[in-house]
Amino acid sequence: MTDVERTSTPLVDEAMKKAAVAWVSVPGGPALALWCAPLEGALFVVSGPGEQSAPGLADATEAQVTLRGDHGGRIVTWPARVSRLAPGTEHWETAAPLVAAKRLNASGSTAELVERWAAEGCAVNRLTPAGEPVAGAGLPADSLAEVPRETPAVRVTRKPFRLHRVRRR
């Protein structure tokens, strides 16, 4: 447990235990689907060079976290207190290796991954429940879908591929 006071509910605790992806939004930003690792009654999110992009999260002090249930639907949204772990601290030394061990498809060992996070300035953030969650009938009924954001990753649509030429008689 951390030295920061924590507030939570059984629903949030259970949803966090099963979470692999969380929708996280910082004030003024869109909700982003981010890989996360549950640990010590909180969610840990890593972002930065060579990791996922989470604009604004590294410097944020609060965020909104939405988790899904076993069948893919939104089950709870809760306010979170965001704290960034600093390399070399006791919290970093205990939590970063545990988070790195849960990181799938990482190149190198757990120790190498933790060293890379520290050397490249990656942010390892702890998202701790910090308020009353919204669940059940309190959740929005609509999809909350948005127009896709602009991105430089755009491909030109090409004509369909044809395996052979069709001859007319």
Side-chain angles (χ1 to χ4, degrees):
M1 195 63 127
T2 67
D3 55 350
V4 178
E5 186 177 322
R6 184 178 164 296
T7 60
S8 188
T9 65
L11 176 62
V12 171
D13 288 340
E14 191 63 28
M16 278 196 301
K17 286 179 191 174
K18 295 181 179 185
V21 174
W23 289 90
V24 180
S25 63
V26 295
L32 301 170
L34 300 174
W35 168 81
C36 62
L39 182 66
E40 300 174 349
L43 291 179
F44 285 79
V45 176
V46 181
S47 61
E51 297 296 330
Q52 61 195 344
S53 175
L57 185 61
D59 301 319
T61 57
E62 59 184 35
Q64 287 287 326
V65 179
T66 300
L67 298 174
R68 63 185 182 92
D70 294 337
H71 299 289
R74 177 179 45 229
I75 61 168
V76 66
T77 297
W78 46 273
R81 184 179 309 107
V82 180
S83 58
R84 184 173 178 173
L85 277 62
T89 62
E90 181 182 341
H91 290 304
W92 176 275
E93 299 300 327
T94 57
L98 296 173
V99 174
K102 294 182 179 185
R103 168 75 163 76
L104 298 176
N105 302 324
S107 60
S109 68
T110 299
E112 292 170 342
L113 186 58
V114 171
E115 287 176 24
R116 183 176 65 80
W117 288 348
E120 295 181 2
C122 289
V124 178
N125 290 308
R126 177 195 330 256
L127 307 175
T128 309
E132 195 62 35
V134 178
L139 291 170
D142 54 344
S143 71
L144 302 179
E146 295 181 10
V147 176
R149 294 183 291 276
E150 291 295 318
T151 176
V154 176
R155 288 200 260 172
V156 178
T157 306
R158 297 175 17 174
K159 293 181 181 179
F161 175 76
R162 288 176 38 194
L163 204 47
H164 57 82
R165 185 174 178 177
V166 178
R167 297 184 185 176
R168 296 184 197 181
R169 291 187 182 222

